[in-house]
Amino acid sequence: MNIEEQTATFKRWLTEHKGLIFKVVRANAFVPQDQEDLFQEITSQLWRSITSFKKESSETTWIYRVAFFSAMSWNRKEHRHRKGKSALDGAMPNAEFSPEKRDPRLEWLYDQINQMPMIDRSLTLLLLDGYRYKEIGSILGISESNVGVRLNGIKKTLTLKSKAMED
Amino acid sequence: MDFEEIQVIWTQQDDQPIFNIDPDRVVTRLQEETRAVHSGNLWLEPLFMLSAGFNVYGSWFRVKPDELTLWGIAFGLVSFVAVIWFFTGFLKRRREALILDQPIRGILESDVVNYRTSNKITWRGIWLVTVPSISREVYRLIMSADPGVVDWSYPELIGFPICTAALILVIRYQSRRIEKLLSFRRQLD
């Protein structure tokens, strides 16, 4: 693959799948500076990964995998990550969105995902994006039954917390 | 809300970016980064080998140490920078070569292997910089006309311990990364 093909593929991925990348970014970073930092990390890994992409999985699965792995690597800055999280308590994340455009329920959902352990965050994003247990298992490298058990727990917790929030 | 409602909220979010992105600018930045890493590695590796060779030569075969003190300091500094850059460059290449076409569990395991390999190489680097200088100091102390007196005009007496300490810090940093990766790996079990 030459550089022109790599560039064209990257631009297309960035245009078509930016929503996916932003979901992973929002689920893993809390303040705008961190979100920009993580976005750069993911795009950088995505750029390098293009030459290894053999089309054995779908583009979306590939991009998810790269984005999750980049987020895990980025998570090494956990100290700053946690600081950002505590600083955001009660504040509104994602400064670029105007408050009237934001759905508070969606903000609540991202907040819940942010509080989960790293692997559970990935599981939840994939579930919410409509992936089947088998596909989730193959992306993360865990058995379908393990995915089922963990996601049942996540679903229960989210439902309970949402009810508590409504009360 | 039940989970179906939560899913509906999720699917209704649009693709509006958190911040504006310009794909052309992103591509330009990434191409510049790639060029910088490659050109950096081209001259740093020979420099590392040269400085490692000089360390061995300087430690055992130097005849008039006082005349070479400034050179010793200069090469000590270059050696320090080169060693650090060499190992980070090595790690970068290994990470670029990660096999991404496998589940996250496999990618995490490959990354752990990379860091462990890097740590092993860093240990070798420590032996490379310390063993020649320590053995020489011992030799010199034994052969000295005034046994037991350390000659501080030898820059490596200061430079090599600093270099060794820096490499040990690199190892500790990488070990923490390994622990972090293993904790993610354990979350998958």
Side-chain angles (χ1 to χ4, degrees):
Chain A
M1 180 182 276
N2 60 35
I3 190 80
E4 282 77 24
E5 286 170 330
Q6 188 181 4
T7 306
T9 307
F10 180 77
K11 282 184 184 172
R12 185 171 59 76
W13 281 6
L14 210 55
T15 310
E16 290 175 9
H17 303 292
K18 65 174 183 288
L20 182 161
I21 300 171
F22 281 123
K23 280 176 196 167
V24 176
V25 167
R26 288 186 73 186
N28 289 284
F30 313 101
V31 290
Q33 296 95 315
D34 280 357
Q35 289 175 340
E36 200 176 334
D37 191 29
L38 178 56
F39 180 81
Q40 284 190 10
E41 178 66 26
I42 293 174
T43 50
S44 176
Q45 292 293 343
L46 214 50
W47 165 262
R48 291 192 195 113
S49 79
I50 290 172
T51 47
S52 328
F53 182 53
K54 303 284 184 291
K55 298 182 180 171
E56 284 163 10
S57 57
S58 73
E59 283 183 357
T60 323
T61 302
W62 178 267
I63 295 167
Y64 251 128
R65 203 176 274 156
V66 174
F68 284 150
F69 179 69
S70 308
M72 284 178 194
S73 297
W74 183 83
N75 226 276
R76 67 181 182 267
K77 302 165 188 166
E78 198 184 26
H79 179 63
R80 194 178 73 173
H81 187 64
R82 275 206 221 103
K83 260 168 60 184
K85 194 172 183 176
S86 57
L88 257 176
D89 287 345
M92 288 186 296
N94 308 323
E96 294 285 320
F97 281 145
S98 58
E100 58 274 13
K101 273 185 185 171
R102 269 196 233 115
D103 181 344
R105 294 172 307 169
L106 187 61
E107 292 306 323
W108 170 84
L109 185 52
Y110 269 114
D111 193 40
Q112 297 307 309
I113 297 171
N114 285 341
Q115 290 171 28
M116 292 175 184
M118 191 69 220
I119 298 297
D120 285 359
R121 274 181 230 164
S122 310
L123 277 163
T124 311
L125 286 193
L126 289 167
L127 174 75
L128 289 167
D129 269 345
Y131 279 79
R132 284 171 304 190
Y133 287 6
K134 195 177 173 184
E135 292 170 307
I136 296 174
S138 73
I139 290 175
L140 295 175
I142 54 180
S143 70
E144 199 178 337
S145 56
N146 192 355
V147 172
V149 170
R150 297 176 75 142
L151 283 179
N152 279 337
I154 291 170
K155 280 182 194 175
K156 261 186 207 158
T157 312
L158 278 178
T159 310
L160 280 174
K161 283 187 173 176
S162 75
K163 282 181 179 146
M165 178 195 65
E166 285 169 339
D167 295 342
Chain B
M1 280 189 286
D2 56 26
F3 192 75
E4 281 66 36
E5 284 175 89
I6 291 173
Q7 190 124 33
V8 170
I9 294 166
W10 182 262
T11 49
Q12 279 173 350
Q13 68 177 306
D14 52 28
D15 278 353
Q16 187 178 2
I18 309 169
F19 38 82
N20 293 324
I21 47 164
D22 176 356
D24 288 320
R25 267 184 55 200
V26 177
V27 168
T28 310
R29 182 179 57 79
L30 290 170
Q31 284 173 341
E32 280 167 3
E33 264 179 25
T34 310
R35 268 197 297 273
V37 169
H38 286 171
S39 61
N41 287 341
L42 274 178
W43 65 269
L44 278 166
E45 284 174 35
L47 188 64
F48 169 72
M49 298 315 291
L50 185 72
S51 61
F54 182 83
N55 287 339
V56 177
Y57 167 78
S59 293
W60 273 104
F61 303 109
R62 209 168 62 189
V63 182
K64 295 176 182 172
D66 292 343
E67 290 172 14
L68 282 166
T69 300
L70 273 177
W71 280 107
I73 292 170
F75 269 92
L77 283 173
V78 170
S79 163
F80 172 76
V81 174
V83 166
I84 300 295
W85 275 70
F86 174 77
F87 290 120
T88 47
F90 163 82
L91 200 61
K92 244 180 189 158
R93 278 195 310 281
R94 295 280 298 212
R95 286 176 64 80
E96 278 171 22
L98 272 181
I99 307 154
L100 286 161
D101 201 5
Q102 58 179 336
I104 289 289
R105 178 193 292 272
I107 302 173
L108 287 172
E109 281 164 359
S110 307
D111 214 19
V112 168
V113 171
N114 284 346
Y115 276 111
R116 284 187 173 149
T117 311
S118 176
N119 268 359
K120 275 185 203 159
I121 292 179
T122 313
W123 274 118
R124 280 178 207 156
I126 288 175
W127 298 127
L128 192 69
V129 296
T130 54
V131 169
S133 62
I134 289 171
S135 58
R136 186 189 175 205
E137 288 315 309
V138 171
Y139 173 78
R140 211 176 45 193
L141 283 172
I142 294 168
M143 301 303 287
S144 169
D146 193 4
V149 177
V150 178
D151 182 357
W152 291 104
S153 67
Y154 287 85
E156 60 265 35
L157 275 182
I158 301 166
F160 285 147
I162 292 173
C163 190
T164 305
L167 288 175
I168 287 172
L169 284 177
V170 170
I171 288 173
R172 287 195 57 185
Y173 169 76
Q174 291 185 164
S175 300
R176 279 204 298 273
R177 298 286 310 271
I178 291 172
E179 273 310 306
K180 192 77 204 165
L181 287 164
L182 287 175
S183 83
F184 291 144
R185 160 80 175 68
R186 279 193 288 272
Q187 283 179 35
L188 285 166
D189 294 331

